[in-house]
Amino acid sequence: MKIADARVIVTCPGRNFVTLKIVTDDGVTGVGDATLTGRELAVASYLTEHVVPLLIGREADRIEDTWQYLYRGAYWRRGPVTMTAIAAVDTALWDIKGKVAGLPVYQLLGGRSRDGVTVYGHAQAATVDGLLADVARHLDLGYRAVRVQCGVPGVADSYGVGRDGLPYEPAGAAIPAENGWNSERYLTHMPSVFAQVRSEFGPEVKLLHDVHHRLTPIEAARLGKSLEPYALTWLEDPVPAELQEGFRLIRQHTTTPIAVGEVFNSIWDCQQLITEQLIDYVRATVVHAGGITHLRRIFDLAHLYHVRSGSHGTTSLSPVCLAAALHLDVSIPNFGLQEYQPYPEAADAVFPHSYRFADGFLHPSEQPGLGVDIDEELAARYPYRPAALPVNRLEDGTLHDW
């Protein structure tokens, strides 16, 4: 069974998505997500110009060999564009393998390790009162874990908080917006936010918070220490992760669990963090970390060091990525949590799928393969729309991490 065709599909049913569809000479198809927010066309071009020509005529069942061929053969290894492109190929080949075997992909990964995948939703508001109402809404929907993001007095643009009561959407116009930021005001405000959330909802609900890389290690340590009374499940992305040893300072000062990794694209990005037990959850994704094949390697390494999975899963990743993630989530022994935001109706229509949400859990498809596809005719009705992620500046104009 050889690869006869591979095509790249770019569509924007509310968000820009890039999808690779592989077709075998037997007519079996597989899909893989290749979305890299703000750099979608770079991956689409990489696939079209450099990867698709290499795929034609290759054996579709040689997933590991193809992964190594694309990773080692390019000479220029790693990086978000390369690893996202490899991920798309890898995911599509797992989809094909499942369809040929007549089994959902999780069965090929060793079968179930749990009945369902615990997910967390996003509660957010500009005010604490609004936030409490949104947390209550998520709990009423069945969520057992909730990420808490709140506006900061005196800061116009707080991460994770939508404008005018709307859901948060960071990707805006083609030219990045420039937002303001003040770390001291944020550090002062957040403990009182979590005090009120815990007082309102008690100790049972799992609470999470995303710093989004905005602090220094000593500032992150201060925040983690101040949030200890409220028993967060995790504090996400407290600092930029390029300097992995910076997490040692955070670890020395707080017992608040740390999650990081949505921007990681290889096992080397998190090797030190995992082997030195500097984090508690690794948030790498199928689409940005080299596909099912490579992400499973990351989770296997993490398992040896008591680090659990907590994969990124916002609507900036397509339903193809979420479907693939659920097959991994349900099969690995060290699963922690899975991020989940429901997609708009247009995206659900473009990507028909059979995974489902119930009682705070997502359940992977039982259909052969991943259980997701792309309606190419419908996708063509939603052309690409340039949309860039914002940048941050401090009050004196200094560029800051987003």
Side-chain angles (χ1 to χ4, degrees):
M1 182 177 62
K2 296 183 181 295
I3 297 172
D5 185 32
R7 51 187 178 270
V8 179
I9 305 150
V10 181
T11 184
C12 185
R15 287 293 292 262
N16 290 316
F17 299 120
V18 181
T19 306
L20 176 68
K21 191 162 196 174
I22 294 178
V23 184
T24 72
D25 53 9
D26 294 337
V28 182
T29 63
V31 290
D33 187 15
T35 305
L36 185 62
T37 299
R39 298 293 184 269
E40 300 91 352
L41 298 186
V43 183
S45 177
Y46 188 101
L47 282 167
T48 301
E49 301 296 331
H50 303 292
V51 175
V52 167
L54 305 178
L55 297 177
I56 307 305
R58 289 188 64 84
E59 296 288 346
D61 60 350
R62 297 182 63 167
I63 298 176
E64 179 66 37
D65 184 64
T66 299
W67 195 98
Q68 297 293 342
Y69 175 72
L70 295 175
Y71 181 78
R72 298 185 182 192
Y75 185 72
W76 309 107
R77 302 183 182 187
R78 301 163 60 184
V81 173
T82 294
M83 296 303 284
T84 300
I86 292 174
V89 176
D90 183 80
T91 304
L93 294 182
W94 276 105
D95 192 18
I96 289 170
K97 187 173 283 289
K99 290 175 179 177
V100 171
L103 294 169
V105 166
Y106 76 79
Q107 293 287 14
L108 305 180
L109 300 175
R112 287 183 178 272
S113 290
R114 58 200 47 82
D115 296 329
V117 173
T118 305
V119 298
Y120 71 90
H122 292 188
Q124 55 88 19
T127 66
V128 176
D129 287 344
L131 174 64
L132 296 176
D134 205 27
V135 172
R137 182 179 69 86
H138 278 80
L139 296 179
D140 288 343
L141 291 170
Y143 286 91
R144 300 158 188 259
V146 181
R147 192 186 81 171
V148 171
Q149 305 293 137
C150 187
V152 177
V155 178
D157 302 289
S158 297
Y159 172 76
V161 179
R163 291 178 178 269
D164 302 320
L166 297 174
Y168 179 64
E169 172 51 74
I175 303 301
E178 296 197 2
N179 296 336
W181 182 247
N182 186 302
S183 295
E184 189 59 38
R185 289 176 181 171
Y186 165 78
L187 288 166
T188 300
H189 184 58
M190 290 317 299
S192 66
V193 171
F194 277 91
Q196 293 178 76
V197 173
R198 273 288 177 228
S199 176
E200 181 75 15
F201 298 103
E204 298 298 324
V205 60
K206 296 178 183 294
L207 299 179
L208 306 85
H209 180 64
D210 188 356
V211 182
H212 218 256
H213 325 280
R214 297 191 178 192
L215 300 178
T216 65
I218 197 65
E219 290 172 338
R222 169 184 163 188
L223 179 63
K225 188 72 174 176
S226 69
L227 294 178
E228 284 178 13
Y230 314 114
L232 272 63
T233 295
W234 78 42
L235 187 66
E236 179 184 339
D237 289 337
V239 297
E242 288 95 330
L243 182 66
Q244 295 189 22
E245 63 191 48
F247 283 76
R248 291 178 188 157
L249 183 60
I250 303 173
R251 207 49 142 188
Q252 289 167 3
H253 292 282
T254 181
T255 58
T256 296
I258 302 299
V260 70
E262 69 181 61
V263 299
F264 292 170
N265 53 72
S266 83
I267 198 168
W268 306 109
D269 294 327
C270 51
Q271 180 192 20
Q272 183 179 5
L273 294 174
I274 290 171
T275 59
E276 294 188 20
Q277 300 181 53
L278 300 178
I279 59 172
D280 302 278
Y281 297 87
V282 59
R283 288 184 31 77
T285 68
V286 170
V287 63
H288 297 148
I292 292 172
T293 296
H294 193 66
L295 185 56
R296 185 166 62 164
R297 286 198 181 95
I298 293 174
F299 290 159
D300 284 345
L301 176 65
H303 182 50
L304 299 178
Y305 294 91
H306 308 289
V307 175
R308 288 179 282 182
S309 73
S311 288
H312 179 54
T314 66
T315 52
S316 63
L317 316 177
S318 89
V320 175
C321 180
L322 179 59
L326 295 177
H327 288 278
L328 260 182
D329 291 337
V330 83
S331 63
I332 61 173
N334 56 325
F335 171 76
L337 285 172
Q338 170 66 53
E339 186 174 22
Y340 173 57
Q341 286 183 290
Y343 292 93
E345 290 184 7
D348 280 335
V350 169
F351 296 95
H353 55 268
S354 54
Y355 59 76
R356 59 187 178 86
F357 174 79
D359 299 323
F361 300 100
L362 275 173
H363 300 273
S365 171
E366 294 296 334
Q367 295 178 357
L370 295 175
V372 65
D373 205 346
I374 182 169
D375 183 330
E376 295 183 62
E377 183 176 338
L378 186 57
R381 301 180 190 174
Y382 299 99
Y384 172 78
R385 177 178 60 84
L389 296 173
V391 297
N392 276 334
R393 290 190 184 275
L394 302 180
E395 292 176 341
D396 67 357
T398 302
L399 195 66
H400 192 62
D401 284 291
W402 180 60

